[in-house]
Amino acid sequence: MSETTTRIHTQSGQHHPVRLYLVVWGLLFVLSAFSYLVDYLQIQGYPRWSLILLFMMLKAGLIVAIFMHMAWERLALVYAILLPPLLVLVFVALMVSESNYTIFTRHAFFGAAQ
């Protein structure tokens, strides 16, 4: 075997530059600071929960992509891990959209107290 082939076979695993991890940790810190800033500025109502959920999803995406090495995995594995939670979110959205119909039906058939 040549020296290049031997060197390739002795290396194991993926190694990424430390700079990448430091940048991701910095981004996670900044996103967390923005999330705390939402509370500090006392933003209320839908904007509050929208911002908190946005920052949470961005942080989760960074963690999954970089620290769980999903950015470098095969597409089939990414779909196997990320697609089921995405489908659960779609089903939750469908249930939320049907909730007004359900409450309307309950009031129509069971009657509101008069």
Side-chain angles (χ1 to χ4, degrees):
M1 261 198 283
S2 68
E3 181 182 333
T4 307
T5 308
T6 306
R7 195 173 343 129
I8 290 172
H9 288 294
T10 57
Q11 293 177 350
S12 62
Q14 290 180 329
H15 298 287
H16 305 289
V18 173
R19 183 177 186 277
L20 174 68
Y21 292 110
L22 293 176
V23 167
V24 171
W25 275 109
L27 286 172
L28 288 171
F29 178 78
V30 169
L31 290 171
S32 294
F34 285 156
S35 184
Y36 288 122
L37 195 61
V38 168
D39 283 335
Y40 183 76
L41 295 176
Q42 298 178 355
I43 297 173
Q44 297 297 320
Y46 287 120
R48 171 193 178 98
W49 294 110
S50 299
L51 287 170
I52 288 174
L53 289 174
L54 173 72
F55 294 138
M56 179 187 67
M57 295 299 284
L58 288 173
K59 289 190 295 186
L62 271 174
I63 290 168
V64 168
I66 304 301
F67 294 122
M68 294 178 68
H69 301 278
M70 283 294 134
W72 299 280
E73 293 295 336
R74 293 177 186 251
L75 194 57
L77 183 60
V78 171
Y79 284 153
I81 292 175
L82 297 180
L83 195 59
L86 181 64
L87 291 175
V88 167
L89 287 175
V90 168
F91 289 134
V92 167
L94 288 172
M95 287 188 294
V96 167
S97 70
E98 291 291 324
S99 64
N100 287 332
Y101 172 75
T102 302
I103 195 71
F104 170 76
T105 305
R106 286 180 181 170
H107 284 295
F109 287 103
F110 297 123
Q114 296 180 5

